[in-house]
Amino acid sequence: MIGLGFRMAPTGAPAQAPDLIGDAVSAAFGSGQLGALYVIQPDYQGITILWQDEAGTIPAAADGDPVGRIDDLSGGGNHATTPVPGTLRGSAGNWRLEFDGVDDYYDLPLSLAQNSPSLYLAFAGAYRELAGADKSMIWFSTGTSSTGTRARLNTRATTYLQAAGRRLDEGPFDTGVQAEVIAADEPFTASALLDYANASAWLRKNGAEQASGSFSTAGASSDTPSLEAYLGWQAGEYTTMDARAFAIVTGGTDGIAEIEALLSSRI
């Protein structure tokens, strides 16, 4: 007789891909922490998270679609909206949001109180070009131009990443910490922790610390909640970039490792 060769079926269920978004949300926002998480992909677990319109009625799901709203995945409902949409680019597994550097930006319904103990800002993506004045990935402002809290994660001039702290009532914007670490079209993650309680800051690229230091918290200030919180805009300057994800956490550092693991997977 000719023996019949039987192939054993593999045992066990196939390995499931890690849910990096779910891990980040649970770690950073599971206890009610304030902030937002924006990931540039049409849907998450079958639920639409990018929309062509601010009202969230028309999904953005194909290359070239305008993106008028980015849903906040933190659970806080802090959806980013704009009257001047960016453009969705790419395809499954390689999505990005194109900011044209002319007028694309997103409003954030987030308040940054002057007495916030800390603010964590993070970005994944790339710049298509670097030129001109400071260009912010994430920008906050509280109070008046001379006495309020300011916070930003941005490019400084042409080649710098910068995390800036608070403006003084008697002096210019405190430069915080900065490092010459980026180039045009280079995919990267950038993250910064502005620790207001200790007047200190650190700045990372691709999860590795680039710089740390202190910034001044002297001077009069306002506790007025921020009326200026944006993605891709700062004081009249619009950003030219391809964005993959943004994260913002106020008042704590829980979930930073999980957020940075998520962002690194985007590039």
Side-chain angles (χ1 to χ4, degrees):
M1 294 182 62
I2 300 174
L4 299 177
F6 290 95
R7 184 172 298 170
M8 296 293 293
T11 58
Q16 191 171 16
D19 179 10
L20 296 175
I21 292 177
D23 291 346
V25 170
S26 296
F29 305 105
S31 60
Q33 183 69 281
L34 299 178
L37 177 64
Y38 308 106
V39 178
I40 308 306
Q41 60 187 46
D43 62 83
Y44 171 59
Q45 294 186 342
I47 299 173
T48 299
I49 58 176
L50 297 184
W51 306 90
Q52 296 188 37
D53 58 325
E54 291 189 54
T57 62
I58 307 171
D63 182 82
D65 280 352
V67 178
R69 174 171 136 178
I70 312 168
D71 280 1
D72 169 26
L73 295 175
S74 76
N78 295 309
H79 309 317
T81 60
T82 178
V84 187
T87 304
L88 184 63
R89 296 296 185 194
S91 57
N94 189 34
W95 296 106
R96 63 192 188 278
L97 180 60
E98 181 180 276
F99 289 68
D100 64 9
V102 177
D103 54 10
D104 298 349
Y105 73 98
Y106 290 82
D107 289 302
L108 307 182
L110 288 166
S111 295
L112 171 64
Q114 176 78 359
N115 60 0
S116 292
S118 67
L119 181 64
Y120 171 75
L121 308 175
F123 164 84
Y127 277 86
R128 295 193 305 280
E129 61 182 62
L130 296 172
D134 296 358
K135 303 292 183 70
S136 288
M137 292 93 89
I138 307 173
W139 160 262
F140 283 93
S141 176
T142 299
T144 69
S145 61
S146 61
T147 64
T149 298
R150 296 289 180 91
R152 64 190 182 192
L153 179 61
N154 71 329
T155 57
R156 172 74 173 171
T158 58
T159 58
Y160 286 89
L161 274 177
Q162 180 186 43
R166 184 171 297 173
R167 188 182 182 95
L168 312 182
D169 62 347
E170 70 271 11
F173 192 92
D174 194 297
T175 57
V177 294
Q178 58 189 39
E180 191 172 1
V181 292
I182 57 175
D185 300 316
E186 173 195 352
F188 68 97
T189 66
S191 57
L193 181 68
L194 298 166
D195 180 354
Y196 291 111
N198 297 294
S200 64
W202 53 247
L203 177 65
R204 293 178 181 163
K205 177 196 173 186
N206 296 334
E209 187 170 299
Q210 301 293 310
S212 61
S214 62
F215 57 90
S216 178
T217 58
S221 61
S222 168
D223 287 334
T224 305
S226 176
L227 299 179
E228 297 182 1
Y230 303 108
L231 304 178
W233 182 91
Q234 174 199 321
E237 293 289 338
Y238 296 93
T239 305
T240 303
M241 65 181 174
D242 290 320
R244 307 297 181 94
F246 301 88
I248 301 156
V249 182
T250 68
T253 57
D254 290 346
I256 285 179
E258 289 81 3
I259 288 174
E260 294 193 2
L262 165 64
L263 267 58
S264 68
S265 72
R266 302 283 105 183
I267 63 172

